[in-house]
Amino acid sequence: MEKELGNEFFRGVGGIRGRTSDRCASSGVHVCKTDICDGARRDPEPIFLWTGAGRRPYTRRIDGRGGRARPPRPAGMRGPAEHLRHLVPGGAAVSALRKAGPQRGTAGGRSRDSRPVRHQAEHRLPLRPLNRAVLLAAALTALACRATAADRYNVLLVSLDSVRQDFVGCYGHRPRRAPDVPTTPEIDRLAALGARMEDAYASSSWTLPSHVSLLTGEPEVVHGVDTDQQTLDASVPTLAEILKYHGYRTAGVFSGPYLEPHWGFGRGFDRYRAAYGRKVAAASRLAERLRAQGPSPGSRLSAFRVYEKVKNLSHRDVNSSEVTAATLAELDDLRATGEPWFLFVHYFDAHYDYVPPPPYDARFDPDYRGTITAEDFLANPRISVPDPATPDGFIRRVSDRDLDHLIALYEGEIAWVDAHVGEVVRRLDALDLARRTLVIVVSDHGDEFFEHGGLGHHRTLYEEVVKVPLVLRLPGVLPAGAAVPGPVALSDVVPTVLDVLGIDAPPGLTSTSFLALIRGGARDGTAIARLVTQHTGRVTIDGTTVVPATQVTVQEAFRREAIKLTRARTWPEFPPDLPARSAAILRPETEAQHAREQLSWIDVARYPGEPDDARSSEFADPRARAALESVRGLYRRLLLPRRTPGTARPGEAVRRALDGLGYVDTGAGAALPASRFALPPPGDGR
Ligand SMILES: [Zn+2]
């Protein structure tokens, strides 16, 4: 099925035709219309990579209509020796590093010994695994601890998947169909006893990069895990590794596929386990076994199918009870050690599909008599159908009344998860650990409900998908009931935790603590969110030469004071081994598109709903100009330590499986080098 390209950038390159795409390069398996992040699969309807018949050029839509820019949418040195031996085989290199490293109290942890870490990163040298391990060991060795064992606090970090900030009671939410019923009484109680960050931003609008930021303290532009084909650079210390190095017991419980350990999340945990429901758990174990079996065609095919099953089942999986049971068991075990501990918990249930168990399924819309459900949320034609004009667009079909019900089901899932958070916190308090434990509750992103024409997440960086709840409680240390303004990011959580614990941050960490902000001080902060999406397709030149293509879109948002800057670039990538004639035609277009940037700003304090007509691409306003200048400087500094992520095994397995099925064209499905997603600072050339 071929369509003539309507992409204005390809006009004048006569005869180029585009074809529909049936999967997404980010994961290699999904229909383009799919939410790539979490694998909800749409019906395999053809989706246009570029718009059809030249009616509504896709790129023109991005540029804006009537001259107005459209918002970017595509938008203490006591490390356990056994841990170090794990990091560096043999431990000899670490011994040397430990002798050479700074001792307790090193100011800021920024020793000469840490410089090789930065030096290597700046030049992006290819590092062998051993070298990466040595760098990680060096980073940990440079840490210093200001606290004594007796006054070290425990840390309970709870991540609630897909909970947007404005659906949380303490942030002002009142359910539309049940305004007197709170969605989050437990989180509200925590906030009343602690601090609530009013302007907390996720580091991306999907699970993987946001959690990498949450657990490493680096924004996505630095950690570089832009797609699920990439894994965390082994030389980046995680919060669990840092705390383990300082003698903490560490445990993690997760319940969504993108928290699986092969992306690097298991590092530093004494125990890191999944708490899926029964069906997903069985499918996950089978997928892992098949992946481990190697490259026989039969096993590849099975691994692909099972991996898909894990992701799709996970949307319907209701597993908060399993998460809570595992968490309470860990809590008991950790307390019994008598040592300080770090417990990370991830609740996945608020993620679509919205299928809360009774009584939460009716709690927020008790009078509903219709038939809409949120099962198969992104692919339900009663809710929306794919928009052929955009690779990830939706055409709304659902009525206002039915949409209210879908939102009530989302509220039900949030309330269900909130009840589980309450159960964990009550156990903590019953164990008399409240005053000894820093409790943090946060989310990784929100969801859209057609506020800007879309659904779900992993599409844009609008406020509804990047503004998240962030609540911290530590009686006697953090003020009770504080509502703290000022932009903070998920990546700021690690330095803040370390600040509270009195542990120096690893050298070169680019994010900063917001503890002083909570205590009433000032902080010069910018929250950064980033989203990289890819869609595969084909370009036909002169009706004869078919070339596979990947359309890459990088969106970034920068919140500084009241100003939110957004920028986006979209360009096609082609295989490196194109015939010379094809390359000569396509390369100039590729470069021209890559260089074109949509840059705009909005005062989100004044316009929290982010209406498109309040956005401007003019920077005459001194506040916007100052924000842009500041962000440009910050971005330039962040590019220096940008990491080179590893390659994700599951993505590779899936790609191989698809290849075996004949689905992947040469080049189009291959992972692009991480360096291709690196952009210059926003506004370059302005
Ligand atoms: Zn998520």
Side-chain angles (χ1 to χ4, degrees), residues 602-685:
I602 186 171
D603 181 339
V604 283
R606 185 174 176 192
Y607 300 105
E610 228 176 335
D612 289 347
D613 59 6
R615 183 176 295 280
S616 173
S617 57
E618 300 297 324
F619 283 80
D621 185 307
R623 295 176 309 147
R625 190 79 212 166
L628 178 59
E629 285 309 311
S630 172
V631 164
R632 283 172 51 75
L634 171 65
Y635 202 91
R636 207 173 288 118
R637 292 193 296 277
L638 293 178
L639 284 175
L640 295 176
R642 179 172 166 86
R643 308 285 184 168
T644 303
T647 302
R649 281 193 305 133
E652 202 167 71
V654 170
R655 274 199 309 286
R656 282 203 307 267
L658 282 166
D659 203 13
L661 291 167
Y663 284 153
V664 178
D665 298 296
T666 306
L672 292 168
S675 59
R676 292 298 297 162
F677 304 126
L679 296 179
D684 248 24

Side-chain angles (χ1 to χ4, degrees), residues 37-38 161-162 205-208 211 346 348 351 444-445 457:
C37 159
D38 295 301
D161 212 289
S162 304
S205 59
W206 65 295
T207 307
L208 176 58
H211 276 94
H346 169 246
F348 192 60
H351 192 286
D444 61 343
H445 54 78
H457 51 267

Side-chain angles (χ1 to χ4, degrees), residues 69-399:
R70 183 180 171 83
R73 40 172 306 148
M77 285 306 298
R78 55 185 299 276
E82 64 272 20
H83 175 52
L84 296 176
R85 274 198 293 273
H86 168 70
L87 296 171
V88 181
V94 168
S95 300
L97 283 169
R98 292 182 70 187
K99 286 175 185 167
Q103 298 303 304
R104 179 189 297 266
T106 300
R110 298 179 190 279
S111 70
R112 296 181 65 84
D113 306 273
S114 68
R115 291 184 183 174
V117 180
R118 179 63 59 239
H119 176 78
Q120 297 278 20
E122 283 176 4
H123 295 280
R124 297 180 192 158
L125 296 178
L127 300 175
R128 290 175 300 159
L130 178 62
N131 289 339
R132 291 182 186 279
V134 170
L135 290 174
L136 172 58
L140 291 172
T141 306
L143 298 173
C145 183
R146 302 187 298 270
T148 63
D151 63 7
R152 285 186 296 175
Y153 297 109
N154 309 307
V155 180
L156 171 64
L157 174 58
V158 182
S159 169
L160 312 178
D161 212 289
S162 304
V163 175
R164 52 189 272 181
Q165 188 191 81
D166 59 355
F167 274 61
V168 175
C170 60
Y171 286 92
H173 182 60
R174 296 292 174 269
R176 187 175 302 174
R177 294 281 165 182
D180 297 328
V181 183
T183 49
T184 54
E186 301 293 346
I187 296 172
D188 300 347
R189 198 167 297 129
L190 270 178
L193 297 170
R196 161 171 65 84
M197 308 310 294
E198 290 186 331
D199 302 306
Y201 281 83
S203 296
S204 187
S205 59
W206 65 295
T207 307
L208 176 58
S210 264
H211 276 94
V212 173
S213 291
L214 176 65
L215 293 172
T216 64
E218 298 288 10
E220 183 176 328
V221 68
V222 175
H223 67 58
V225 183
D226 291 314
T227 77
D228 65 2
Q229 297 169 359
Q230 298 165 329
T231 61
L232 176 59
D233 184 319
S235 67
V236 182
T238 66
L239 180 58
E241 286 177 309
I242 295 167
L243 295 181
K244 184 173 174 61
Y245 189 75
H246 283 277
Y248 275 65
R249 297 285 180 152
T250 55
V253 179
F254 68 95
S255 53
Y258 277 122
L259 270 293
E260 294 261 2
H262 41 240
W263 277 286
F265 290 120
R267 284 171 24 196
F269 286 107
D270 297 324
R271 187 156 52 197
Y272 187 72
R273 52 168 154 165
Y276 293 130
R278 188 172 48 83
K279 282 186 182 175
V280 180
S284 176
R285 284 195 298 272
L286 180 56
E288 195 54 49
R289 276 206 304 276
L290 289 169
R291 275 198 290 265
Q293 278 176 11
S296 79
S299 70
R300 292 203 305 259
L301 175 59
S302 300
F304 159 63
R305 286 183 174 160
V306 174
Y307 186 65
E308 275 293 273
K309 197 177 174 74
V310 173
K311 297 172 89 172
N312 291 333
L313 278 174
S314 70
H315 293 175
R316 284 164 245 158
D317 195 28
V318 178
N319 55 32
S320 289
S321 298
E322 284 82 0
V323 175
T324 299
T327 300
L328 296 181
E330 294 290 359
L331 203 48
D332 289 341
D333 286 354
L334 290 167
R335 182 173 183 266
T337 67
E339 298 184 60
W341 50 260
F342 166 51
L343 177 55
F344 169 70
V345 186
H346 169 246
Y347 282 99
F348 192 60
D349 275 346
H351 192 286
Y352 55 75
D353 300 340
Y354 311 123
V355 287
Y360 300 95
D361 55 346
R363 176 171 288 184
F364 298 98
D365 194 2
D367 302 325
Y368 184 67
R369 297 294 176 263
T371 58
I372 198 82
T373 76
E375 289 176 16
D376 217 6
F377 183 64
L378 294 185
N380 184 343
R382 292 184 62 197
I383 300 174
S384 70
V385 293
D387 181 353
T390 60
D392 55 3
F394 293 82
I395 297 174
R396 178 177 163 176
R397 289 282 183 261
V398 69
S399 68

